[in-house]
Amino acid sequence: MNRHIVVLGGGLTGLSSAFHLSRRFPESFITLIEKTSRFGGWISSERVQVRDEDGRSAEILLESGPRTLRPNAKSVLELINILGLKDSVITTPVTSSAAKNRYLQIPETQGLITLPNSLTSVFSPPMRTMLLPHVLQEPVKRGNRPTGVTDESVDSFMSRRFGPIFARTFGSALVHGIYAADSRQLSVRAAFPSLWEMEDRGWGSVVRGALRSKPKKSQGDYDVGDIPEMMEGVSVYSFKDGMGTLPGALVEHLQNQSNVELLRDSPISSFGVVDGGQMEIRLADGQTINPTHIVSALPLPVLQNLLYPNSSLPYLTVNPSSSVVVLNLVFSQRQHSLHPSGFGYLVPRPPSGYSLDNPGILGTVFDSCALSAQDSNATNFTKMTVMLGGPHPITVSHTNIDTVLKHLSVHLTGPDDYLKVMPEPILVRTRHHVDCIPTPTPGHLDRMKDLKNALATGIWAGRLEVIGAGVRGVSLGDCVESGKRAGESFIP
Ligand SMILES: Cc1cc2nc3c(=O)[nH]c(=O)nc-3n(C[C@H](O)[C@H](O)[C@H](O)COP(=O)(O)OP(=O)(O)OC[C@H]3O[C@@H](n4cnc5c(N)ncnc54)[C@H](O)[C@@H]3O)c2cc1C
């Protein structure tokens, strides 16, 4: 059957869907519709020229959205292979200081503490007291998952197994780094399914479960060529010209496919099923499209707003989303004079909770250390990215550069006294990302099963799929993977 499949939303999920649909259904016609003039969604890489007071200049790459990928996402390795991006990849080896050194900044204290990166480092202070007792006690603690509980928050899970202080210090920091969310709201099964499985495998203990070998999962079918060999010993990676390389290459590829049409600057104003059972998409310019199948790669609350009243779907607005302020900073100093060598640091939830009195900083990435190959002639410059907001209520005063520098001075002044006062940066780039990362709350996986059932039956009858960061996982790997699976549940 010759289908006309329309993909809604040209972020990475939508681009990956169009790419895989055009290969899976070569006889079908694919239309990808994007609201803005640019594909890629939250991915945004920009190269800028900077100059210091002595006239030395450098080219610096700024990321205001995602910046690193993990090599375990096979679906991204597949894109790198098929799109011929191998030579653009830059990697951070597991042996590098950027991979080994990650830090925590404990609120209301000064300086950073190093997270353990080896078994021996767990026994050194301060981890010997902060981490070790909780981890050693966990395997001998009785199983304590309440009967009938099928999901809970990350904080509740970690508090149950490792105690509330561990959960607040390590769990909340981890969640700030990935979801920019409150660990007391985030579903452990949606965000960290392996933790839940370890507890099952270890008869109630996460540590025992981690030590038992896990059943092998099917690796799936990925055309990865020799890219996995290239990724051996790699902690994280990106591209020489930043994450924008990925959507850029996808767009270039799709433009050359005879069965694909890309519509940009084309906001969808509404869509649904009309009398007679036909599906209809209306664009803001008045155009109407009647496809045979639709893949929505839109954020779920956006989808809810676009659906005709008779075509509504369950659970699209149950989960909240985090808003984040991203501050790119470039200093005309060498990095070792500003911060220790490493990937960066995360700041856990303050003991008193989230309030306007806190700095509102979720964490800082030491970009120059992690992916320096993205910049040219930049040895005399240091690039950092500060993330603020998420569960912290923040105002303009929190993102004011002088306020941020004051807090960075406290964070980056440690026993080695990097600097007492942060210097003025030569470049400050501030981006406010509203509702950019969804927070799947407990019960998310069951709700998404119900949503899938609703799509397979009734007026949609297997002709609409809903995918993207709000459904299956927020990492770029999850988004590309959900695009690879697009069309799997279509009913002709
Ligand atoms: C600051 C930040 C840092 C991150 N860091 C990382 C990282 O380092 N590593 C990682 O793996 N992940 C990271 N993530 C997560 C990851 O970037 C996102 O989850 C992912 O990019 C989401 O892609 P998506 O295509 O599902 O959604 P989106 O990128 O939100 O795409 C949705 C698209 O739909 C379009 N759209 C909306 N309304 C309409 C309409 N009415 N009509 C037509 N089109 C419409 C939008 O313009 C957009 O292009 C980060 C996210 C953020 C915000």
Side-chain angles (χ1 to χ4, degrees), residues 8-15 33-36 38-43 64-70 177-178 243 266-269 283 297-299 302 306 322 324 326 387 433 435-438 467-470 473-479 482:
L8 314 179
L12 189 62
T13 307
L15 287 167
I33 309 179
E34 166 56 35
K35 174 172 80 171
T36 65
R38 195 183 62 82
F39 289 97
W42 292 114
I43 300 176
S64 70
R67 63 200 55 232
T68 49
L69 282 150
R70 292 211 165 261
I178 304 174
M243 212 46 87
S266 303
I268 300 149
S269 52
L283 303 187
L298 298 166
V302 172
L306 298 182
S322 294
V324 177
V326 176
M387 313 264 184
H433 296 321
D435 290 337
C436 60
I437 309 181
I467 61 172
V474 300
S475 76
L476 295 173
D478 292 329
C479 293
S482 63

